[in-house]
Amino acid sequence: MTNHPGARIAWIHVAPIKALAIQELQQVELGLKGVENDRRFCIVDPDGRMLNAKRVQRFVAVRPHFDDATGRLLLEMPDGSMVEGAIALGRPITVSIYGRSVGARAIDGPWADALSALADRPVQLVRFDSPGEGVDRADEDAGASLLAEESLRAIAKAAGVTAPVDPRRFRMLFGVAGVEAHAEDAWIGRAVHIGSAVVVPGGNIGRCVVTTLDPRTGRSNLDTLAALARYRKEEVTSEPLAFGVWARVAQAGLVRIGDAVHVA
């Protein structure tokens, strides 16, 4: 195994509802399709097309809290109001997401009205029938993503800011401490042991305008794309403006903050 003494999981971030705010967890069960409730819900327009924060930036500032054991969902809206209730599955719906057609069920309850008001258009909250369907690159079996914590300091320097950039901007599942900036680029195609799970990175993650949004407010306040173009332009990557890697899950298992990270 590659020697990364002290390499460990620094943070675990999931998005119970695609496009809404990140939820920070202490541990997750990583399955072959990823974390079961990561991006299990999404928001669609009347034609069933997935809506993300590129289309409705204010979605980023909505904080979801989903309790799988009780089936209850609470949304903290940007104005401080709360929308809460038990999830009830409604009519079947086909969602168009990244060129795929995926089965889902509409969610009955108060959430569609609240999200429609925020988006200034009719929208519907839905739940995918199967885990993993809402994850980016699901067609490539991308169940996980990895980012070196030091990379946040590197992009901050390139952007001319003093504090590390908030990792929630990048919506990655696992942050890795104790390795150099962008160490994960060299892990593509190799087995990465995290907790009792094993993942194999398949490629870089190219970045979009969503990363310029403040994860607390949904407002654009940091030109991450210009920073990446400046300091990463000479790097050979599988996607442009690369920051972090996506990975397939080779072995399911429990992953906790503080777990060691080893690369085979």
Side-chain angles (χ1 to χ4, degrees):
M1 291 190 177
T2 299
N3 184 24
H4 286 298
R8 65 190 188 282
I9 297 297
W11 39 259
I12 301 172
H13 290 167
V14 300
I17 302 175
K18 193 170 179 68
L20 302 192
I22 290 296
Q23 183 175 358
E24 302 174 42
L25 299 178
Q26 294 297 306
Q27 64 180 47
V28 289
E29 285 286 349
L30 186 63
L32 296 180
K33 294 292 186 180
V35 177
E36 182 171 356
N37 286 318
D38 187 19
R39 296 161 171 82
R40 187 65 183 272
F41 298 84
C42 84
I43 302 162
V44 299
D45 66 15
D47 295 320
R49 294 177 298 180
M50 182 269 294
L51 286 168
N52 59 19
K54 283 190 283 189
R55 297 174 66 184
V56 184
Q57 294 184 355
R58 285 180 290 179
F59 280 164
V60 169
V62 180
R63 297 175 57 84
H65 303 274
F66 178 63
D67 187 330
D68 188 43
T70 63
R72 295 190 68 82
L73 173 66
L74 181 148
L75 298 184
E76 292 184 49
M77 305 302 290
D79 64 1
S81 62
M82 306 284 185
V83 185
E84 183 179 12
I87 290 293
L89 299 180
R91 71 186 189 283
I93 186 171
T94 299
V95 175
S96 176
I97 176 172
Y98 302 129
R100 297 179 295 117
S101 295
V102 178
R105 299 285 292 274
I107 300 298
D108 296 332
W111 303 282
D113 287 345
L115 292 168
S116 295
L118 187 67
D120 293 324
R121 68 185 83 176
V123 305
Q124 175 67 56
L125 181 65
V126 305
R127 182 180 188 268
F128 293 112
D129 292 338
S130 301
E133 295 290 5
V135 176
D136 293 359
R137 301 169 184 81
D139 57 341
E140 299 186 79
D141 294 325
S145 54
L146 301 165
L147 177 67
E149 192 175 44
E150 197 64 29
S151 303
L152 300 167
R153 295 181 176 84
I155 194 172
K157 181 178 179 181
V161 297
T162 55
V165 173
D166 190 328
R168 293 176 298 173
R169 287 182 183 270
F170 302 99
R171 308 181 72 82
M172 303 289 280
L173 183 55
F174 298 115
V176 182
V179 299
E180 66 274 15
H182 306 294
E184 68 274 16
D185 289 355
W187 301 347
I188 294 173
R190 304 171 69 183
V192 181
H193 296 248
I194 51 174
S196 60
V198 180
V199 302
V200 180
N204 298 103
I205 298 176
R207 293 304 174 171
C208 70
V209 69
V210 172
T211 64
T212 71
L213 305 179
D214 187 321
R216 297 163 300 176
T217 66
R219 298 187 181 94
S220 182
N221 68 347
L222 183 66
D223 196 343
T224 52
L225 303 185
L228 286 170
R230 281 194 297 271
Y231 91 102
R232 297 273 285 161
K233 62 183 178 182
E234 302 300 329
E235 300 297 326
V236 177
T237 56
S238 60
E239 294 184 8
L241 301 177
F243 200 75
V245 296
W246 62 267
R248 301 179 179 94
V249 181
Q251 176 180 303
L254 177 67
V255 184
R256 298 165 296 190
I257 290 178
D259 278 351
V261 176
H262 304 286
V263 185

